[in-house]
Amino acid sequence: MFHHFGTNDFLFLVAAIRWTLALSAIAFIGGGIGGLVVALARTAPLAPLRLAATGYIQLFQGTPLLMQLFLVFFGANMFGGRIDPLIAAAIALTLNAAAFLGEIWRGCIEAIPRGQWEAATALGLRYPAAMRDIVLPQAARIAVAPTVGFLVLLVKSTSLASIIGFVEITRAGQIINNATFQPFLVFSVVAVLYFALCWPLSLLSRHLETRFGTVSR
Amino acid sequence: MSATTGAAGGEPIITLEGVSKRFGSFQALRNINLEVHRGERIVICGPSGSGKSTLIRCINQLEHHQQGRIVFDGREIGPHAHGLDQIRREIGMVFQSFNLFPHLTVLQNCTLAPMKVRSTARAEAEALARRYLERVRIPEQANKYPGQLSGGQQQRVAIARALCMNPKVMLFDEPTSALDPEMVKEVLETMIGLAEDGMTMLCVTHEMGFARSVAHRVIFMDAGEIVEQAPPETFFAHPKSERTRTFLGQILPHG
């Protein structure tokens, strides 16, 4: 009934990496777009926009990602039939990433000295042009390292999608474990696979920090 | 007040009437009345916190006044003025801390606003920028980044950048205060060159030598008020107010 952990099991785990990567990529791209909107709203001159963005950030930072995942998954099931676990996980992770990236990027935007705004304003640039041409390019340089750092967190967060039945590495590990009942070995392999994904990203983040770490050159 | 006008008369380009400005409970400007004529060069001095920077920052509305009227070239300006950005492009400003855009080259610093704000074609904007960089005597730095230049060079780029918008007035907010002493001269010489070309200038500065040689009028401010204004020869030789005398005694070499 049980079999020993073998090559096929290992390959099954390795193959599941693509789903972890796919979910990470979707959430990172979606979260990046959403995060930019949140960061711009959070630093906007209009108070209602700032308020809405602040509320959004606090909502998603103040509740567990797992609850957000459950709410999307079961909520969708409640209102309109079944939802694919990948789609539910993608939506929840995107919304969550948008809040965290929005807050990280808000800090980067606010780190740009006031004098830059003043110089742009004095030259007759309106707010959108000053933001696009002067502030965002400088903020982007500061944002690179913490953004890659967040990507590491995001990759690991995708493991929660296993709970709603999405077969990424962690869920694949559970499946293999059910067949082999060698949890220590199986989840060690799973952990090593996560490490293999995240460690290069951490190194990249540190490298980028030394490269882009300063505001001005 | 006509005695205070040094330049050719005619319609004033800037008029301030009863302008007041508070930061919280701090009264930065009290009932300022001022007329600036075309081609006139005004130096504003005074102790720190006297409101001199706030005064020129109200003219292009980097600070918003709460009372009174500011009229630029026949158009009233205020926080909600229509086309405020259109008025701002007519007013060049040079800051104490340069505020060059560090992610852009010197040339891009100079071409950005003409291209984005005035829709000038790139080739034309670059030709204009090179002409003004020539004029501030650093054409060879066009492709460097601001961080690669000395403070004096950066400030001259900032002047060129402002001139590229072809402004009717130039505002200088302590342009030499952040510079090492050996770089003050090159910036002042650039400003003197501008003055000789007839630019209307308002300069907040403590460079009294500059005031003596180029200003039509020197304004002394204290506690948010214009205490005294006079042509430089009168201002330095016969200051009327006790506060002016005290201030001049502190900043001018004795003898």
Side-chain angles (χ1 to χ4, degrees), chain B residues 208-237:
Chain B
M208 290 301 125
F210 173 80
R212 262 186 232 273
S213 58
V214 307
H216 294 117
R217 177 160 41 137
V218 181
I219 292 177
F220 173 69
M221 288 184 71
D222 191 17
E225 293 174 309
I226 294 182
V227 176
E228 184 164 350
Q229 48 182 320
E233 51 276 18
T234 320
F235 182 85
F236 291 110

Side-chain angles (χ1 to χ4, degrees), chain A residues 99-144:
Chain A
F100 278 88
L101 286 174
E103 187 67 355
I104 292 171
W105 294 346
R106 171 198 66 83
C108 297
I109 290 171
E110 287 178 349
I112 303 306
R114 223 164 73 100
Q116 293 290 307
W117 282 105
E118 291 185 347
T121 306
L123 286 166
L125 269 71
R126 296 206 191 106
Y127 182 86
M131 183 58 103
R132 190 186 60 227
D133 295 318
I134 304 303
V135 175
L136 284 184
Q138 296 182 61
R141 294 178 64 89
I142 322 172
V144 171

Side-chain angles (χ1 to χ4, degrees), chain A residues 114-116 118-126 129 132-134 137-138 141 215-217, chain B residues 57 60 62 85 88-89 91 93 95 99-103 112-113 116-117 145 147 161 165:
Chain A
R114 223 164 73 100
Q116 293 290 307
E118 291 185 347
T121 306
L123 286 166
L125 269 71
R126 296 206 191 106
R132 190 186 60 227
D133 295 318
I134 304 303
Q138 296 182 61
R141 294 178 64 89
V215 178
S216 58
R217 39 178 123 192
Chain B
R57 287 163 61 86
N60 67 354
L62 287 183
D85 51 304
R88 281 178 174 141
R89 64 176 81 155
I91 305 175
M93 185 156 201
F95 299 87
N99 296 349
L100 292 177
F101 306 131
H103 62 301
L112 180 96
K116 299 284 174 183
V117 176
Y145 285 91
R161 177 176 71 176
M165 289 298 283

